[in-house]
Amino acid sequence: MSERDDPGTIGRRVQQLRTTRGLTQKQLAEPAYTPAYISTLEAGRVRASEDALRHIAERLGVAYEELATGRPARLATDLRLRLTEAQRTLAGGEAERAAEQYAALLDEAEAHDLTDVQAVALLGLGESAIDTGELVDAREYFERAENVLVDAPLPARVPALRGRAVSHYLAGELRYAVYLLESTLDELNRGGLHDPDALLLLYASIIGPYMDMGAQARAAQAAELALALAPRAGDPALVARMHRSVARTLLAEGRLAEADASLVKAAELYRTLQLRTELANCHWMRGYVYAQNGELKLAEGELRQALEMLSAGRAALYSSQVAVELADVLHRRGKSEEASSLLRETLNDLSSERGALHSAAAHRLLGIIAEDARDTEGAEEHYVRALSLLERAGAAGDLADLCRLLGDLLRRTGRVEAALDAYRTGLGHRTAPGTTTLGPAPAQPPL
């Protein structure tokens, strides 16, 4: 909340309300103050005390907050109630409708200079834009939220920082996304700012970029830390709905402070729902580990659970990587037809601008499946398309592996020179300085 207005603005407001109600300065002042004091206040030459403003507000028949700030008494609480409605909409996967709700809230918050509501609305617009794949718009919303929160403590700025990192990651800018997330984690942990929600959000979000960069050990560690930090809520959606209902009742009774408290609890629970979506990455990580150990049945179970945790509205960008991993496990379990169907369905939701890395992974696996089916021409087509996508994204580790697969295919079909070119390309990416290495790991929380 911003502080009360300057003396000149308050003075003009008092004078307008007094004349509207047909009161003289003497009538407004009695019995505690003098007409001269009211005259000085209305002229903006004195900064009224809180006691004086409360006396004047009572005489004018308005709420203290409305007199001090110009805002209707229930405005902030009403906006907070609508924010929880928008959060519920977004948590339910209706990103476009949530964006409309957040945009309307942002306009009102800016008109009344309510910076805390502005920040939450901008974050909601950013999350909605990520869900609909509008990554440039998402990044702008998160940057605006950071600017609004520039003076807030770091844990309060984490959702905006994390949102910006995710928008870079989904656009294929892996190293910058990891830099943003790791530097924020390091600053939190080294500074003793062990906020569980902030840390959970960051650790859950960094798993995907780590995996794409080939940093499996760091990804596994981040997954375990995220699961250790995860809140133990029963059914947050039901509890949040209860708090919203309670808030409406309290508002009707004029109990604004208690209504505010209920809405804060509801907002936290809706945020927990979004964190549960992020925690799908942790189940994906476990599925990956099981798959690496050859425990394919367990891997399939974890990966299916990860997909179920992702709502339909987020499938285009968030679940695609899990879908590719699940397809790989299905293929290894002899379910190649189901795997191919899942991959093609995933590709329908992606493009080179939205989810390039996931598209490349899907084409790579479709190429492997085609090779196993002795469809050499189809395999080569998928490998070449994956290669083009990875070159644009700069995913060096994946490029090297793909060049090996393509080289092996070309060699088996008698095109030795072309195979050698593919191998050389892969070696070049493997040895390029700075493309596959990360700096020191960020400091860890004292769990």
Side-chain angles (χ1 to χ4, degrees):
M1 292 286 188
S2 56
E3 296 180 357
R4 71 188 192 187
D5 289 333
D6 61 85
T9 302
I10 291 177
R12 289 189 295 273
R13 189 176 297 132
V14 169
Q15 185 180 43
Q16 182 181 13
L17 289 168
R18 178 179 62 77
T19 55
T20 299
R21 284 158 175 72
L23 297 174
T24 66
Q25 291 179 337
K26 180 180 180 181
Q27 289 171 322
L28 184 59
E30 292 176 343
Y33 300 93
T34 65
Y37 177 77
I38 298 299
S39 177
T40 306
L41 187 152
E42 289 183 349
R45 295 197 298 270
V46 64
R47 183 175 180 82
S49 67
E50 182 177 335
D51 287 342
L53 283 183
R54 290 193 180 280
H55 164 81
I56 294 169
E58 184 178 354
R59 298 287 287 173
L60 292 170
V62 298
Y64 165 79
E65 183 183 351
E66 185 171 355
L67 183 63
T69 66
R71 306 181 198 117
R74 286 178 47 158
L75 176 68
T77 304
D78 287 341
L79 288 178
R80 189 169 289 118
L81 179 63
R82 288 167 55 196
L83 276 175
T84 62
E85 292 287 347
Q87 288 172 310
R88 181 191 62 79
T89 303
L90 181 59
E94 299 178 70
E96 291 183 0
R97 191 161 74 88
E100 293 174 359
Q101 293 172 316
Y102 281 122
L105 284 161
L106 179 61
D107 288 343
E108 291 188 51
E110 289 177 338
H112 293 283
D113 196 28
L114 291 165
T115 55
D116 55 342
V117 179
Q118 287 178 47
V120 178
L122 286 166
L123 288 171
L125 284 166
E127 293 291 347
S128 301
I130 279 184
D131 285 4
T132 56
E134 307 298 329
L135 300 180
V136 174
D137 290 345
R139 193 175 310 156
E140 290 176 358
Y141 286 129
F142 289 126
E143 287 172 354
R144 286 173 63 187
E146 285 185 71
N147 290 333
V148 169
L149 296 167
V150 66
D151 295 323
L154 180 58
R157 290 183 276 122
V158 161
L161 285 161
R162 170 262 174 198
R164 187 154 59 91
V166 169
S167 65
H168 282 287
Y169 164 55
L170 293 174
E173 299 163 22
L174 305 182
R175 292 188 64 79
Y176 189 60
V178 168
Y179 161 75
L180 285 173
L181 294 167
E182 281 196 339
S183 58
T184 307
L185 279 166
D186 200 54
E187 189 176 349
L188 280 171
N189 289 325
R190 290 190 188 281
L193 302 171
H194 304 302
D195 183 283
D197 286 347
L199 291 171
L200 171 58
L201 194 58
L202 293 168
Y203 280 123
S205 300
I206 205 169
I207 294 169
Y210 273 156
M211 291 298 296
D212 286 342
M213 294 186 72
Q216 284 87 353
R218 287 200 190 180
Q221 184 180 58
E224 292 308 316
L225 289 168
L227 289 169
L229 289 161
R232 304 292 199 274
D235 187 344
L238 291 176
V239 181
R241 196 175 304 129
M242 177 271 292
H243 281 297
R244 282 174 48 241
S245 299
V246 168
R248 288 181 183 278
T249 302
L250 294 170
L251 276 173
E253 296 174 1
R255 297 157 65 185
L256 301 187
E258 294 167 85
D260 250 8
S262 279
L263 290 171
V264 167
K265 291 176 184 176
E268 285 299 311
L269 287 161
Y270 282 125
R271 196 152 68 91
T272 299
L273 283 174
Q274 289 176 288
L275 289 178
R276 283 177 62 194
T277 301
E278 293 291 341
L279 287 174
N281 281 337
C282 301
H283 288 283
W284 160 59
M285 186 64 227
R286 282 181 168 170
Y288 173 84
V289 172
Y290 282 135
Q292 292 298 301
N293 293 335
E295 300 174 88
L296 300 181
K297 186 175 181 180
L298 290 173
E300 182 179 341
E302 288 286 348
L303 294 168
R304 287 193 186 279
Q305 182 174 354
L307 275 177
E308 288 172 6
M309 290 176 70
L310 295 165
S311 67
R314 306 176 80 91
L317 292 177
Y318 277 122
S319 67
S320 53
Q321 195 162 11
V322 181
V324 172
E325 201 72 50
L326 175 58
D328 180 52
V329 169
L330 291 171
H331 170 59
R332 290 166 64 185
R333 295 196 71 192
K335 305 176 183 179
S336 296
E337 188 174 336
E338 184 182 353
S340 294
S341 177
L342 180 59
L343 291 168
R344 294 183 191 283
E345 182 181 335
T346 300
L347 284 170
N348 287 336
D349 294 325
L350 302 173
S351 69
S352 58
E353 290 77 28
R354 296 173 59 237
L357 290 165
H358 309 332
S359 295
H363 281 297
R364 173 190 175 279
L365 185 50
L366 282 168
I368 292 173
I369 293 172
E371 269 204 88
D372 289 349
R374 303 188 184 280
D375 178 8
T376 304
E377 186 176 336
E380 183 177 348
E381 180 183 345
H382 284 298
Y383 289 154
V384 169
R385 292 179 70 176
L387 186 63
S388 173
L389 290 163
L390 290 174
E391 282 178 334
R392 269 179 277 176
D398 289 341
L399 269 168
D401 174 66
L402 188 63
C403 287
R404 177 188 59 79
L405 288 171
L406 179 58
D408 289 349
L409 175 64
L410 294 169
R411 180 174 52 81
R412 282 195 296 271
T413 55
R415 287 171 285 174
V416 178
E417 286 300 322
L420 287 172
D421 286 341
Y423 290 141
R424 291 190 193 102
T425 301
L427 286 171
H429 285 295
R430 179 64 73 187
T431 57
T435 53
T436 58
T437 57
L438 292 167
Q444 293 184 32
L447 291 176

